[in-house]
Amino acid sequence: MNTRGLQQLATQTRFDFVLLWRNPLASFFTVVLPLIFLFVLTALFGNDLVTPVGPKLASRFVPGIIALSVVQAAFVNLAIVTVFRRETSILKRVRGTPIRPWVFMGGLVATAYAVIALMAVLMALIGWAVYDVDLLWKTVPSLIVTLVIGGAVFCALGLAFTNLVPNETTGPPFLNLVVLPLYFVSDVYVPATDDTPQAITLIGDIFPIRHLAVALQGSFDPLSDKSIWPVTNWLVMAAWGVAGVLIVTRWFRWTPRS
């Protein structure tokens, strides 16, 4: 990786970032929808103190919605864009140009990380300013590590899932069909409690979305008895990420399937 390659990556990232914001549907599901979910959840469940000494209930919603933002940006949106470019022969044509494949795909990954950083900051600020959510500065390093690992894992899984999507038309419904049920069992909308059926928790524990949401929860709960370094959750996510990388390395397609 030389200076020229980094310059090309920066240019490609700017291009992909602008394309995201010029696509109303993509920007809505990636940026606007998570904000709507936060407002709806607090409107439905209120924002009372969880215990007499805190924290506010919104502190349980913010990390889950950040997890949703990571999945939407790094998994759903990345996979949809990649399938569209594959089926319209853009990926095929790229292989015949001087641009390096890692630069072209790296722009999408860097754009996903930019959106993740934007949404994490935006959610934290809204939670603090509107819902009195505590900002725990001591957990910021752990939060950053979780977002970096989560972004890498779901980017890898997003590219891996492109092998299952036959064309650009079926991309959005197929990918949302995969993630929407998992959101409900993965502490994204409402964190699990002692009353949550054990079967739901066990199902959620299998998949990386819940481990991402749980890892983020400790960064916003000052009364949490969990370690601020959720290594177990990171390792489970990393295992899924390795599986995604292996699938991409072996079966990723640059040519249309149809």
Side-chain angles (χ1 to χ4, degrees):
M1 185 183 299
N2 52 29
T3 303
R4 183 181 179 184
L6 292 176
Q7 291 174 343
Q8 291 176 340
L9 177 60
T11 301
Q12 185 65 40
T13 301
R14 287 195 298 271
F15 174 77
D16 288 325
F17 193 75
V18 170
L19 280 185
L20 172 65
W21 290 102
R22 288 183 177 179
N23 185 333
L25 191 61
S27 58
F28 174 81
F29 280 100
T30 306
V31 179
V32 180
L33 188 62
L35 295 173
I36 293 175
F37 276 128
L38 178 60
F39 296 140
V40 169
L41 288 173
T42 51
L44 287 175
F45 296 100
N47 192 32
D48 296 330
L49 292 175
V50 178
T51 68
V53 293
K56 290 292 187 69
L57 190 57
S59 65
R60 306 289 175 87
F61 299 143
V62 168
I65 300 304
I66 292 177
L68 182 147
S69 300
V70 173
V71 176
Q72 289 294 128
F75 179 79
V76 177
N77 188 63
L78 177 62
I80 289 174
V81 173
T82 303
V83 169
F84 174 82
R85 292 181 176 182
R86 183 192 71 198
E87 295 305 309
T88 54
S89 297
I90 294 176
L91 296 185
K92 180 180 178 180
R93 292 197 294 270
V94 166
R95 298 301 297 270
T97 67
I99 187 172
R100 302 169 189 177
W102 70 265
V103 171
F104 188 78
M105 300 306 297
L108 287 174
V109 173
T111 298
Y113 269 109
V115 174
I116 289 170
L118 171 66
M119 294 304 295
V121 172
L122 186 60
M123 288 295 179
L125 289 177
I126 291 176
W128 171 73
V130 179
Y131 299 112
D132 200 23
V133 173
D134 294 310
L135 298 181
L136 307 179
W137 298 108
K138 67 178 182 179
T139 65
V140 169
S142 173
L143 174 64
I144 293 174
V145 172
T146 299
L147 293 176
V148 169
I149 294 175
V153 168
F154 284 100
C155 281
L157 292 175
L159 293 175
F161 261 80
T162 60
N163 294 286
L164 300 178
V165 183
N167 54 62
E168 68 275 22
T169 304
T170 59
F174 176 81
L175 291 160
N176 282 292
L177 181 64
V178 171
V179 298
L180 286 178
L182 292 178
Y183 287 154
F184 287 98
V185 299
S186 300
D187 290 21
V188 169
Y189 297 129
V190 181
T193 65
D194 295 336
D195 297 326
T196 302
Q198 188 177 10
I200 296 297
T201 303
L202 291 176
I203 294 173
D205 282 336
I206 298 173
F207 300 97
I209 297 179
R210 183 172 192 273
H211 291 277
L212 173 62
V214 171
L216 290 169
Q217 286 171 12
S219 299
F220 294 90
D221 187 354
L223 300 182
S224 174
D225 56 357
K226 301 176 183 178
S227 171
I228 64 172
W229 301 101
V231 176
T232 301
N233 300 117
W234 292 344
L235 290 176
V236 174
M237 288 193 294
W240 277 90
V242 170
V245 170
L246 292 176
I247 293 173
V248 171
T249 303
R250 176 65 180 84
W251 288 293
F252 183 79
R253 295 177 59 96
W254 291 82
T255 56
R257 293 183 59 177
S258 57

